[in-house]
Amino acid sequence: MLPLSLLKTAQGHPVLVELKNGETYNGHLVLCDTWMNIHMREVICTSKDADKFYRMPEAYIRGNTIKYIRVPEEVMEKVKEESTRRDDRRPAAGRGRGRRHYHKGNMCGFWA
């Protein structure tokens, strides 16, 4: 399971984001880009010491400041189901060039 596909599936769901500086942000994930920058709505920010709480209508978190993200279990199950469906649709063989063999007498050659 890839982190970006997990976050794309988590859009619209509640998530908890902890930053490297110790602050936590609880809210609904609106958008996530390829650098893992996150846009959230209805956010409650908790200070590092958990002594201050801030309510914000929205927040934008830069991806390189994130320590970890917690998503609901239902999102994890949804991603697993999507990946198994995607694997079922893939063809079993014939996806590459491979090698062709030909034999003529004692000679053996390969076509690339």
Side-chain angles (χ1 to χ4, degrees):
M1 169 180 337
L2 298 173
L4 287 176
S5 64
L6 177 65
L7 289 175
K8 294 287 184 190
T9 306
Q11 289 179 358
H13 290 85
V15 294
L16 178 134
V17 178
E18 182 173 336
L19 304 185
K20 293 175 183 176
N21 67 5
E23 292 179 346
T24 60
Y25 290 78
N26 284 296
H28 287 84
L29 181 63
V30 175
L31 194 62
C32 175
D33 65 13
T34 54
W35 292 279
M36 232 175 268
N37 298 322
I38 291 178
H39 180 211
M40 299 172 70
R41 290 201 196 277
E42 301 171 18
V43 180
I44 297 175
C45 175
T46 308
S47 67
K48 179 180 180 178
D49 301 324
D51 58 348
K52 296 178 185 173
F53 299 91
Y54 305 99
R55 183 178 297 266
M56 300 178 229
E58 60 184 2
Y60 181 81
I61 302 169
R62 189 174 164 138
N64 68 349
T65 63
I66 296 173
K67 183 176 182 180
Y68 75 83
I69 302 171
R70 183 180 295 168
V71 297
E73 190 65 33
E74 64 188 46
V75 173
M76 299 286 285
E77 293 169 6
K78 198 173 186 180
V79 171
K80 288 178 188 176
E81 289 173 8
E82 288 175 2
S83 67
T84 56
R85 267 192 257 128
R86 186 174 49 244
D87 290 343
D88 291 343
R89 289 186 294 201
R90 288 186 180 161
R95 291 194 56 181
R97 284 187 53 192
R99 294 188 177 259
R100 295 184 184 179
H101 304 281
Y102 67 92
H103 299 280
K104 188 171 186 177
N106 291 335
M107 294 176 46
C108 181
F110 297 97
W111 291 342

